[in-house]
Amino acid sequence: MQFQTPGLQDIVDDFVSSFLKDKRHEWESTKTQHMELFQEASKFGLLGLETDPAHGGLGAPFSDKVKLAELMAQTSFAAAFSIINSQNVAARLRESTAQRHHQMADEIMAGDRVGCTALTEPTAGSDFAAIQTSAKKIDGVWEISGNKAWITNATNAETIILYAQTDPTKGWKGIASFLIDGRKAGFERGESYSLIGGHIIGAGEFSLSSYVASEEDMLAPPGEAFKVAMTSINGARTYVAAMCVGMMKNALELATAYGKERNAFGKPLLTHQGMGWSLSDIYTNIAALEGLVEKSAALIDGKQDAVLAAALAKKMAGDITIPAISACIQAMGANGLRSEHFLGEHLACAKIAAYTDGSTEMMKERISAYL
Ligand SMILES: Cc1cc2nc3c(=O)[nH]c(=O)nc-3n(C[C@H](O)[C@H](O)[C@H](O)COP(=O)(O)OP(=O)(O)OC[C@H]3O[C@@H](n4cnc5c(N)ncnc54)[C@H](O)[C@@H]3O)c2cc1C
């Protein structure tokens, strides 16, 4: 898949080689997300990836986002996911008619604010319709209270697309989405999580206590918000699968280079059949997953139904990525464990990928429902 947006390949290459490659070790060692990630991504225009050029963005199609996700995840899945999540909010706010929302979109693009999307709660993940954060209409404004957990960019986000229940008797039909300003009263940031890896993603939680949102801040009304979330999640599933392709390509490249260089029993490791076959299995799986990703991306760009295609790609990514990265580490012997290769990070992020935007089990639910 080639980039359609002129110059985007060079922008991504430049961002990765001049910045991300150096910074990923330093950041991960501090186990937190740094604002520098967004400030630098802004300089490269990456936070306006899908925003219209008339509003200062690059106006890239969805398939370019997928390609970018794959390329950046070769270096850091967590950084790529964080940047994409923030730019998603900027692009979404530009669709709003409210001038204030446009201003916030500009601030995200400038790297002054970070965006995130909050569905998950401490008591509801896979079962999104069971969220308990409540939104009550009182005197013409919405009063929102509740807790959100496992949110990408929660460490720094101040511009939040948040899902809340307006009427618990209506289930998913009662869920609406709101724009939350983390600088306003009623918003409280919680802890950032200490994980097995992937800290650049800034996963954490926050709570709202009688936070007041105007009618203008309702981005999607009850009945529509759930459908919007379920449609946009197909895009997320597709680029998460692409990011798994990226991590596997990087791991395979490292393992192959090692196998060519390293001699054992009188010849390069890669020429031993056991090693060659193991890596050729991985190469085949990557190619198959790339095909599923491309199909899903094309459907989304064509504004067609991508529910099944996205679920197939994400399920396959969930099944093959960890075994592939693990086999590449194995192929490099003890050297595969060196932190400089970032393969342990890839493993942790492959596990993250198996949850975000719907777990592997939820993908099986989608596919079996289709069958
Ligand atoms: C690093 C990270 C970043 C994230 N970022 C965001 C974000 O930005 N915004 C956001 O809203 N959420 C985010 N999430 C949350 C993610 O969407 C959830 O983790 C995911 O939906 C699964 O929910 P859960 O973790 O609560 O697992 P649970 O729903 O508690 O499920 C536990 C296990 O049971 C399985 N399971 C559940 N139901 C069934 C069933 N019917 N049949 C079989 N198995 C089942 C699940 O697949 C899972 O393996 C993030 C998660 C992580 C790890």
Side-chain angles (χ1 to χ4, degrees):
M1 226 163 40
Q2 303 292 320
F3 281 114
Q4 292 173 48
T5 307
L8 191 50
Q9 177 80 52
D10 291 340
I11 291 172
V12 176
D13 288 347
D14 200 9
F15 176 74
V16 169
S17 63
S18 69
F19 181 70
L20 194 57
K21 264 208 168 103
D22 288 340
K23 286 286 175 182
R24 64 178 184 172
H25 294 284
E26 181 190 320
W27 284 338
E28 198 46 45
S29 69
T30 63
K31 289 191 157 200
T32 190
Q33 184 187 66
H34 295 255
M35 274 304 287
E36 193 186 7
L37 170 68
F38 302 98
Q39 288 153 355
E40 203 65 26
S42 162
K43 289 184 199 157
F44 286 81
L46 297 173
L47 295 169
L49 182 72
E50 289 177 296
T51 299
D52 198 305
H55 301 125
L58 294 171
F62 178 75
S63 49
D64 275 4
K65 176 155 78 168
V66 170
K67 185 75 199 156
L68 174 142
E70 183 204 312
L71 282 182
M72 288 194 2
Q74 291 189 24
T75 301
S76 170
F77 173 100
F81 199 62
S82 289
I83 290 169
I84 288 172
N85 268 262
S86 198
Q87 90 81 34
N88 285 348
V89 177
R92 171 64 190 86
L93 291 184
R94 269 288 163 190
E95 291 167 13
S96 163
T97 51
Q99 194 59 38
R100 209 164 41 81
H101 295 179
H102 295 172
Q103 217 174 315
M104 283 167 129
D106 288 347
E107 287 170 7
I108 291 176
M109 282 170 47
D112 295 334
R113 275 178 181 261
V114 175
C116 73
T117 302
L119 294 82
T120 306
E121 301 187 351
T123 54
S126 304
D127 187 4
F128 166 42
I131 60 170
Q132 290 176 11
T133 295
S134 69
K136 292 182 186 143
K137 191 92 178 262
I138 301 169
D139 297 333
V141 293
W142 291 93
E143 198 179 282
I144 306 175
S145 296
N147 303 308
K148 292 290 175 183
W150 289 105
I151 307 302
T152 294
N153 292 340
T155 305
N156 287 298
E158 291 180 320
T159 310
I160 299 148
I161 297 178
L162 175 133
Y163 288 78
Q165 180 57 265
T166 63
D167 182 351
T169 64
K170 290 192 175 154
W172 69 265
K173 288 185 180 157
I175 293 175
S177 65
F178 297 89
L179 177 64
I180 303 297
D181 183 348
R183 295 179 186 171
K184 275 180 48 177
F187 174 88
E188 194 176 343
R189 200 180 306 283
E191 58 161 336
S192 298
Y193 301 139
S194 178
L195 305 173
I196 57 171
H199 295 93
I200 298 171
I201 213 166
E205 49 194 53
F206 55 81
S207 59
L208 299 180
S209 175
S210 300
Y211 175 97
V212 176
S214 66
E215 189 62 43
E216 196 178 51
D217 287 335
M218 181 185 271
L219 297 174
E224 240 181 67
F226 190 87
K227 290 187 203 160
V228 171
M230 288 302 107
T231 303
S232 60
I233 214 163
N234 296 322
R237 287 170 183 171
T238 307
Y239 62 70
V240 168
M243 291 162 81
C244 290
V245 168
M247 289 192 289
M248 285 190 288
K249 279 188 179 174
N250 177 243
L252 184 60
E253 195 183 318
L254 290 168
T256 307
Y258 185 86
K260 283 180 187 168
E261 188 71 24
R262 180 80 162 193
N263 283 307
F265 304 99
K267 56 181 187 172
L269 265 180
L270 193 60
T271 60
H272 289 277
Q273 190 182 57
M275 179 72 68
W277 283 20
S278 166
L279 299 188
S280 69
D281 281 347
I282 296 168
Y283 187 76
T284 310
N285 278 343
I286 293 173
L289 180 55
E290 272 186 304
L292 291 178
V293 167
E294 279 181 31
K295 184 173 176 189
S296 184
L299 287 171
I300 292 170
D301 265 339
K303 304 211 181 314
Q304 294 176 59
D305 183 353
V307 174
L308 179 63
L312 290 170
K314 181 129 191 316
K315 180 200 176 285
M316 187 175 182
D319 287 342
I320 69 172
T321 309
I322 289 178
I325 295 169
S326 176
C328 289
I329 294 174
Q330 189 72 14
M332 293 170 72
N335 280 293
L337 300 172
R338 289 185 190 277
S339 63
E340 72 200 51
H341 300 308
F342 225 58
L343 292 172
E345 263 304 300
H346 281 348
L347 269 184
C349 288
K351 201 66 227 170
I352 289 174
Y355 301 122
T356 53
D357 300 296
S359 66
T360 307
E361 291 74 22
M362 292 303 102
M363 299 308 104
K364 291 184 195 183
E365 287 287 289
R366 283 290 150 276
I367 297 161
S368 61
Y370 168 80
L371 292 177

